[in-house]
Structures are given as structure tokens and as C-alpha cells.
Amino acid sequence: MPDREPPGWPWLRERLLRLRRATRPDAAELAVVPAVRTAVVTDSAAALPGDWVRDFTSDGRLTVVPMPVMVGEEIYGEGEDDIAETIAVALAGGVAVRTSRPSPGQFERAYRDAAARGFEAVLSIHLSAELSGTADSARLAAARVDIPVEVLDSRTAGMAEGMGVQSAVVAAADGLDAAAVRGFAEARLARTKVYFYVPSLEQLRRGGRIGAAASLWGTMLSIKPILAVEDGRIVPLERVRSAARAVARLEEIAADDALSRPAGEARLAVHHFGNPAEAEQLAARLADRLPGCPPAQISSLPAVLAAHAGLGVLAVVVGESSTPVPSPAASSAPSGPPAGS
């Protein structure tokens, strides 16, 4: 079952496409006056929808650096056709699956490419530093380039990180300067939550993503834990006695969070790994509970996160839809890649 981006999510893409096509009234032909001066770089843990990425990487305003996954002695990169199946087979067979951060050189190339395309600054948004050294690699690379680079630790993962990235791209396309783009992304990230259930905590324990004491939750008395990402770390949220009840409780927690948001603002994403039918069913029940919320984006966890969460994970990301107020320059000028790109 393929991942899907439902009708509620293309608002971001449509907004940017309108900005690209925008022209001043009563003008037949105008030179492109760049409103976008800040490029956005992220990593593949952001779980951005594939179509959305393809729309906004072509002109350099967005770059997604793939994160490596090691299965046995083989190294795979996010986006390789067979990586999800390879990880699933390895986990089921007890083969070691490990992850690593991208090299500083990968980020350096992304930053230099942004400069070559005429961008004046880069905002680099990454997987929580509590879970990965990716932000450290980005900082090492930032010190090697002339273009100003701001590295932002998202303090989260998956589409929660992705929502921050999307908001940064929208803010940059609206013509906000680098500081305002960062501020808008930070505000969006602070309002985004991740809740998830895993059938077993063993893979998280092996990878050092959750403490040994917390992992006992998954072994004593058949307790099924519901987890969350708080301040960049994976933390236990609730203990439930059965898998069915854990999924039901995950649904309740996510729905209650979404209902607490301003009317019409909540946005959802549902992640899975190896259990797409369960994700579809969960998303459908959330849609019934939240008729005023666009349907959830449904996608497999990125490989670098699936390697730690393991098979059978279900995660719900709850965030908000909002856009910055365009600057005067942005509202009067068409948006596109900087001159010379």
C-alpha cells in the first residue's frame, strides 16, 4: 500500500506554487525580482512527502540530505528502492541494523550549492540532537563555508520535524529574512507533538534511544507502552495492558491534542513501519473524530527512524497549519530562485 498525501496537505505546495507564479498587476513583462534569499536544508528523518520534496528541491530552496542505515555490513541511504524491505527482513531475522549521521561533507556540498544558486543564507533543520549527531555534522560543515548557515536542532523527529521544515520553506518563499524564517520554524516546532506505540522496546533499547529502566515496561506483565518525544528525547507516556488498547489510547491522546488546538488549525500525520493497513485504519478513525481537520498524511517511517522503532510501530504527529505574514517586498514581487540560479 503506497504512502499517500491526502487533500488536506497540498496547501503548502499550492501556496508556494502561487508565490512562484505571482506577478505585479498591469505589468506585461517583468524581470524576476527574488524574494527568496534563504535556502532550507534538512535530513531525511523529516519524513517529508515525496511529491512535496520534488516540487521544491529543483530550484535549490530545499535540500534533503539522506541519512545512512547499516544492515549487517551493508550501508544504505534513504530513498533507495529496497531499503524499507531490507530493514524489515533484517529486523525480523535478528540481523543488526544500525544508523549513522550524514558526513559533514554532505552538508557542506548542500550549503555550497545554495550559495552557488544565489541564496544569501541557509537554515539547516535537523533530527533531535538527543537522538542523532546529525546537527553536529551540520555545524562542522557550516564552519567551512562562506554563506551564513543557521543550524536548528528540531528537538523532534519524523513529520514533526518535517512540519518545521515546511513552515521554514513557506516563510522563506514569503520573503522573510533568515532570522524570521528561523523564528517561524521554531514556533511551529514548539507546537508539534509526536505520540507513538511500538510492540517491543527492544530495538529502541539496543540503539540507546530509551533507558534500560523504561524498556522494562515492555517486558514486565505484557505492558504495552505509549511513548512521546519531549524536548528531543523519547519518554514513556502511559502503560497499557494490551496492543489493541495501546492503539486505541494512542488515538485518544492524539485526538484530544488536536481538539485542543485553535479551530481549523490542527494537522496530522500518521507513521507506520510494516503495518500500513493499521495506519490507514487509525487515520480513518481520527478523521471520524476530527471532522474539521484535513485527513492525516500517511507514510512509512523514514529508514533511519524505522531502524530504531522496529516493526509494527504506529505514530501520530499533531501540529498546526499557519503561515507567516508576507513582507512588503514579498507581496509586491514574484517569488522564485535568486538571480543567477
Side-chain angles (χ1 to χ4, degrees):
M1 182 181 298
D3 298 340
R4 65 173 173 82
E5 181 184 349
W9 273 84
W11 70 275
L12 283 165
R13 184 191 307 126
E14 291 167 3
R15 180 176 177 80
L16 287 176
L17 292 176
R18 286 198 301 271
L19 286 167
R20 285 179 177 174
R21 293 193 297 264
T23 56
R24 292 192 185 105
D26 304 323
E29 290 187 14
L30 291 172
V32 173
V33 180
V36 179
R37 289 295 190 183
T38 302
V40 179
V41 173
T42 190
D43 52 69
S44 56
L48 291 165
D51 289 347
W52 203 90
V53 170
R54 284 187 288 274
D55 280 339
F56 302 116
T57 55
S58 60
D59 59 11
R61 76 179 70 213
L62 172 66
T63 300
V64 181
V65 175
M67 298 188 68
V69 177
M70 291 161 281
V71 179
E73 300 302 319
E74 297 293 325
I75 299 177
Y76 296 84
E78 191 77 55
E80 295 184 20
D81 291 339
D82 60 348
I83 187 170
E85 182 178 353
T86 299
I87 292 173
V89 171
L91 291 174
V95 177
V97 179
R98 304 181 304 277
T99 61
S100 181
R101 62 185 182 180
S103 69
Q106 290 174 275
F107 290 117
E108 183 176 348
R109 286 191 292 274
Y111 302 154
R112 291 190 185 279
D113 182 65
R117 288 173 178 265
F119 289 92
E120 297 174 333
V122 174
L123 177 62
S124 205
I125 305 175
H126 298 295
L127 175 62
S128 171
E130 299 288 346
L131 305 175
S132 169
T134 301
D136 288 337
S137 282
R139 291 186 183 97
L140 288 171
R144 301 175 182 173
V145 297
D146 293 331
I147 185 172
V149 178
E150 288 279 343
V151 177
L152 175 58
D153 176 359
S154 72
R155 309 297 292 172
T156 191
M159 200 48 216
E161 176 189 346
M163 289 180 182
V165 173
Q166 288 180 317
S167 66
V169 173
V170 170
D174 269 343
L176 275 67
D177 62 24
V181 170
R182 175 173 182 146
F184 187 65
E186 287 178 321
R188 179 72 171 273
L189 288 165
R191 295 285 294 160
T192 306
K193 300 295 184 182
V194 183
Y195 309 102
F196 66 106
Y197 157 72
V198 290
S200 170
L201 288 170
E202 182 61 18
Q203 196 64 22
L204 285 168
R205 186 194 64 78
R206 287 179 179 177
R209 268 59 182 185
I210 194 166
S215 72
L216 290 176
W217 275 19
T219 58
M220 296 176 61
L221 304 175
S222 299
I223 288 172
K224 301 296 182 181
I226 298 173
L227 309 170
V229 178
E230 294 286 352
D231 196 25
R233 299 182 180 183
I234 296 172
V235 298
L237 196 62
E238 292 188 8
R239 293 173 286 184
V240 184
R241 292 287 184 178
S242 70
R245 179 55 186 154
V247 175
R249 184 64 185 131
L250 174 66
E251 176 189 329
E252 292 171 359
I253 292 169
D256 288 346
D257 186 339
L259 288 169
S260 73
R261 309 295 175 120
E265 288 295 298
R267 293 294 183 271
L268 302 178
V270 174
H271 290 311
H272 63 86
F273 186 57
N275 51 333
E278 280 189 282
E280 289 280 352
Q281 293 162 8
L282 175 57
R285 293 193 300 271
L286 286 168
D288 289 341
R289 284 176 174 262
L290 304 166
C293 180
Q297 174 200 317
I298 302 174
S299 63
S300 180
L301 269 183
V304 69
L305 302 181
H308 292 291
L311 290 165
V313 60
L314 283 174
V316 182
V317 176
V318 184
E320 293 179 10
S321 163
S322 55
T323 55
V325 177
S327 67
S331 62
S332 62
S335 176
S341 63

